[in-house]
Amino acid sequence: MLFAISFHPLERSSSIFHRSSDVGWQWFIPHWHWFPPTAATVSSSLLLGICSLPDTKFKSAIETALAANECFGLEDSSERLSCFFDRALVNVGAELVRSVPGRVSTEVDARLAYDTQDIIHKVNQLLKLYNELEVSPQRLLFKIPSTWQGIEASRLLELEGIQTHLTFVYSFPQAAAAAQAGASVIQIFVGRIRDWARNHSGDREIESSSKNGEDPGLALAEKTYNYIHKYGYKSKLMAAAVRNKQDLFSLLGIDYIIAPLKILESLKESVTDPEERYSYVRRLAPGSASVYNFTEEELVKWDQRSFASAIGPAAEELLAAGLEGYVNQTRRIEELFGKIWPPPNV
């Protein structure tokens, strides 16, 4: 069981995972001494944050990327900026690999989300850059949006032994198709689904959960967990956009949770006895998955047509919004690189 922090100072975003059974932790960022990171995510948002901070080893990694010789010869400015962006992601990712014991997930350009072959090509480019820095593929995940094309790219990459992390999952068809594709990690945004449900209607999956008195985000996480374990899929499940302490308690047993630091810190006050402070009741377990019932409609082998007709308006809208955010962040970092290139020492 792992916990996680999502860290966002100055537009920086880094997903940091933690073992819930450990105590007495310490790492190099203030206020994280109770929750040291064991894995991380490198993204366009993280690069933006690093560029806004004073000199750090991560900022040096970006400056080194901007001095990469192979990018200089590219006459097309968009190709040159893309080259710098990839180098920066990988250089920072390599630093994170050296800083945490677990895997580092690298964001794949969201502008490629609807082209399977472009996603695969980009992942192989990033993997080649990591290989040049002698980073083992076993320490890496590649974070891909859960469009149908992204899920298909995940399937093909996993067949090659490349570990993928499918994000922006907001519906059971997405989650089930991701599991069928063999994705290493499937990320569900429980809080965003809840937010959508509060302000919208017309999504059959969400309305079914609400009719049963369930929170739709937590219900999707529970259903996906049980689907993975009942039918023997290899995927690990990650819950993100956790809004409060009760969400954490409801998700205990899931493989990964990303939660704000303030929620994790509030756990210290949940139980007064220090010996029992981290002894919470597990809500999700492989044993209980065997008695979970799925409909015939939910047990189909998903293809592009059935997937497109089943994901529902909530997933469609939230996926589009997530992609737009990632694309905007990528463009911002490329624009920034265009302004500061070449760096002073080049």
Side-chain angles (χ1 to χ4, degrees), residues 97 101-104 127 135-141 160-163:
V97 166
R103 292 177 294 183
V104 170
L127 195 57
V135 176
S136 169
Q138 296 307 308
R139 297 291 308 282
L140 300 172
L141 290 162
E160 297 178 24
I162 299 171
Q163 299 177 109

Side-chain angles (χ1 to χ4, degrees), residues 171-176 179 186 188 190 203-209 212 214-231 233 237 250-251 254 283-284 288-290 292-295 297-299 302:
S171 68
F172 182 72
Q174 285 179 293
I186 299 170
I188 294 175
V190 294
D203 188 287
R204 186 176 65 171
E205 186 176 338
I206 287 178
E207 290 178 353
S208 176
S209 297
N212 293 330
E214 300 172 314
D215 176 273
L218 295 174
L220 175 58
E222 179 183 6
K223 179 183 287 189
T224 303
Y225 178 92
N226 289 321
Y227 180 78
I228 289 170
H229 286 277
K230 184 169 185 174
Y231 297 105
Y233 293 108
L237 186 59
S250 299
L251 291 163
I254 202 169
R283 303 295 180 88
L284 301 174
S288 61
S290 61
Y292 193 94
N293 293 319
F294 293 89
T295 66
E297 184 181 38
E298 292 169 335
L299 295 178
W302 295 98

Side-chain angles (χ1 to χ4, degrees), residues 52-193:
S52 70
L53 293 172
D55 288 343
T56 67
K57 64 179 179 180
F58 298 111
K59 196 160 188 175
S60 175
I62 291 178
E63 290 175 349
T64 301
L66 293 175
N69 289 329
E70 68 272 19
C71 300
F72 287 1
L74 298 173
E75 295 183 3
D76 185 283
S77 61
S78 62
E79 290 183 6
R80 184 167 61 247
L81 291 175
S82 179
C83 180
F84 288 143
F85 177 69
D86 289 349
R87 272 286 180 187
L89 282 174
V90 168
N91 286 358
V92 172
E95 290 289 349
L96 288 171
V97 166
R98 288 188 280 271
S99 301
V100 299
R103 292 177 294 183
V104 170
S105 185
T106 303
E107 177 184 304
V108 175
D109 193 335
R111 291 171 294 191
L112 309 177
Y114 291 98
D115 192 312
T116 296
Q117 292 306 315
D118 280 354
I119 293 170
I120 293 172
H121 180 65
K122 177 62 69 177
V123 168
N124 281 302
Q125 284 182 318
L126 295 170
L127 195 57
K128 180 181 178 182
L129 295 177
Y130 273 117
N131 184 59
E132 291 175 6
L133 298 179
E134 299 183 343
V135 176
S136 169
Q138 296 307 308
R139 297 291 308 282
L140 300 172
L141 290 162
F142 293 94
K143 192 174 184 180
I144 299 169
S146 293
T147 59
W148 174 258
Q149 293 81 358
I151 292 170
E152 180 65 5
S154 172
R155 182 183 69 81
L156 295 171
L157 289 165
E158 292 281 352
L159 288 174
E160 297 178 24
I162 299 171
Q163 299 177 109
T164 60
H165 169 183
L166 283 172
T167 189
F168 296 148
V169 174
Y170 301 107
S171 68
F172 182 72
Q174 285 179 293
Q180 291 176 7
S184 294
V185 175
I186 299 170
Q187 183 174 355
I188 294 175
F189 291 82
V190 294
R192 294 185 191 176
I193 297 170

Side-chain angles (χ1 to χ4, degrees), residues 301-341:
K301 175 64 176 176
W302 295 98
D303 57 26
Q304 186 169 7
R305 177 177 292 182
S306 60
F307 178 88
S309 64
I311 65 171
E316 289 177 355
E317 292 178 25
L318 290 168
L319 175 60
L323 290 173
E324 182 180 12
Y326 270 30
V327 168
N328 288 339
Q329 288 172 170
T330 300
R331 287 173 176 161
R332 286 178 62 193
I333 196 66
E334 287 182 346
E335 289 171 3
L336 178 60
F337 285 175
K339 291 176 182 178
I340 65 178
W341 185 81

